[in-house]
Amino acid sequence: MPDKPRLLLINAFRLSPGSYSLRPASGTREQLVMDYENVAHLLADVEWDVNAGALATHGDWAVEALEEFLIVGANRLPLVREGCESGKYDAIVLLGGGDPGYPESREIGRRHGIPVTSCAHAQMHVASMLAHRFGIIDISEKHNAQMAKLVVEYRFTERCTGIRNIDFPLPRPANANRPSIASERAKALAGEHSAMLEAAFEASEAAIQEDGAEVLILGCSAAYWMQPLLQKRLGEAGWDIPVLEGYSCAIEQAKLLARLGLDASGMMIPRDPPARSRRRKLV
């Protein structure tokens, strides 16, 4: 049980310099973690490194489409394998709201006895510790499809009240001339009116009033900056509801599993070959 776990954070992808205004392509480890100021206190009691992510091969833009998630997930696997084989880390944290490459990364981690966590998966589990049902506030119709896929894959269909789309998509060729998430973030952090934050607040109230959500989670990591602001705004409106974001949940889950000395179950992810095989696999 490590007293001070060693974590490796791996970004979902790396674009060319200047292509993604929410995160630089290179820099200090703090600069490579989006909205670092919101998770700095969670990293203060661990040793940690961050990998900027594999160079994107789907295109020089952020990820929303299912095809893009699949490509960046595959590209990230060698980085996970390298981190596990290095012997330097007690846990791997996959950054990025859509969890690209997560199941396969867990299989790699399992070979080395290293837990791997990811943002959507961790948020859904933390939300289920806090209440019966959670709602997802997400950025775009395309990204909603990935989040819906994850809800089913992670077996949270009975706990998820639905996905509310605020329609502020990521900067991609298909979204040319759409409002900039980076500019909306800058305005909100400066105390100015942000249409994106306002849309998230309205979607949150609808999720509470109409869908029955008891916890809210943010779908895309490009929206995680809203967590403290949205939490405050909902509290001021009288709503006693937790708002989660993925980086915090995934980091804390990794620290917990590392300190417990646990990784994925060998019944869910068998070793290769397994020491003993079952005659039947339930689904």
Side-chain angles (χ1 to χ4, degrees):
M1 181 187 300
D3 179 58
K4 201 168 187 181
R6 301 164 299 169
L7 307 185
L8 174 62
L9 284 56
I10 304 179
N11 277 305
F13 54 83
R14 172 168 48 92
L15 303 180
S16 64
S19 296
Y20 192 45
S21 55
L22 292 170
R23 186 181 72 242
S26 61
T28 67
R29 63 178 188 172
E30 292 81 8
Q31 291 171 325
L32 293 176
V33 178
M34 280 200 305
D35 306 303
Y36 170 75
E37 61 277 6
N38 291 338
V39 299
H41 64 291
L42 302 178
L43 294 169
D45 64 343
V46 299
E47 300 290 342
W48 65 281
D49 294 318
V50 61
N51 189 297
L55 185 65
T57 58
H58 67 278
D60 201 22
W61 55 79
V63 174
E64 279 188 344
L66 297 178
E67 177 189 9
E68 295 165 350
F69 277 108
L70 182 64
I71 293 170
V72 300
N75 289 345
R76 180 150 64 171
L77 299 184
L79 303 181
V80 175
R81 187 179 305 109
E82 179 182 327
C84 290
E85 292 176 349
S86 72
K88 295 168 56 178
Y89 304 107
D90 300 303
I92 306 288
V93 179
L94 303 182
L95 303 180
D99 292 3
Y102 177 52
E104 298 77 18
S105 294
R106 292 184 90 184
E107 182 181 58
I108 295 170
R110 176 66 184 154
R111 294 178 200 145
H112 301 271
I114 295 176
V116 179
T117 67
S118 62
C119 295
H121 185 266
Q123 283 196 91
M124 293 180 200
H125 279 276
V126 172
S128 296
M129 294 168 63
L130 303 178
H132 297 299
R133 306 182 75 201
F134 63 84
I136 301 174
I137 307 300
D138 199 24
I139 61 164
S140 72
E141 185 79 15
K142 290 294 290 183
H143 201 276
N144 295 169
Q146 175 70 6
M147 295 308 298
K149 174 178 175 288
L150 296 181
V151 169
V152 174
E153 182 178 335
Y154 298 157
R155 304 192 178 200
F156 280 105
T157 51
E158 293 186 1
R159 288 186 176 268
C160 180
T161 63
I163 302 170
R164 289 279 178 170
N165 175 24
I166 63 174
D167 199 26
F168 276 81
L170 289 165
R172 300 167 61 244
N175 301 326
N177 303 317
R178 295 301 307 274
S180 164
I181 293 178
S183 64
E184 291 298 316
R185 176 185 182 275
K187 286 187 287 188
L189 295 181
E192 302 172 7
H193 175 79
S194 166
M196 182 176 177
L197 182 60
E198 186 64 29
F201 174 72
E202 293 175 0
S204 297
E205 285 207 308
I208 296 167
Q209 297 254 50
E210 301 171 23
D211 305 339
E214 299 165 327
V215 180
L216 297 172
I217 74 176
L218 295 169
C220 179
S221 57
Y224 289 173
W225 63 266
M226 293 194 295
Q227 187 276 328
L229 302 175
L230 187 57
Q231 184 73 79
K232 182 175 184 291
R233 181 78 183 276
L234 288 166
E236 291 172 346
W239 297 115
D240 186 11
I241 186 169
V243 179
L244 305 179
E245 54 83 15
Y247 282 15
S248 296
C249 293
I251 290 168
E252 284 299 293
Q253 188 183 63
K255 290 159 63 174
L256 171 66
L257 293 175
R259 287 183 168 127
L260 290 174
L262 297 172
D263 63 282
S265 167
M267 295 294 97
M268 181 181 72
I269 302 177
R271 293 193 182 278
D272 189 17
R276 186 171 180 179
S277 297
R278 291 172 291 175
R279 295 180 181 177
R280 184 185 181 197
K281 170 72 172 177
L282 298 177
V283 296

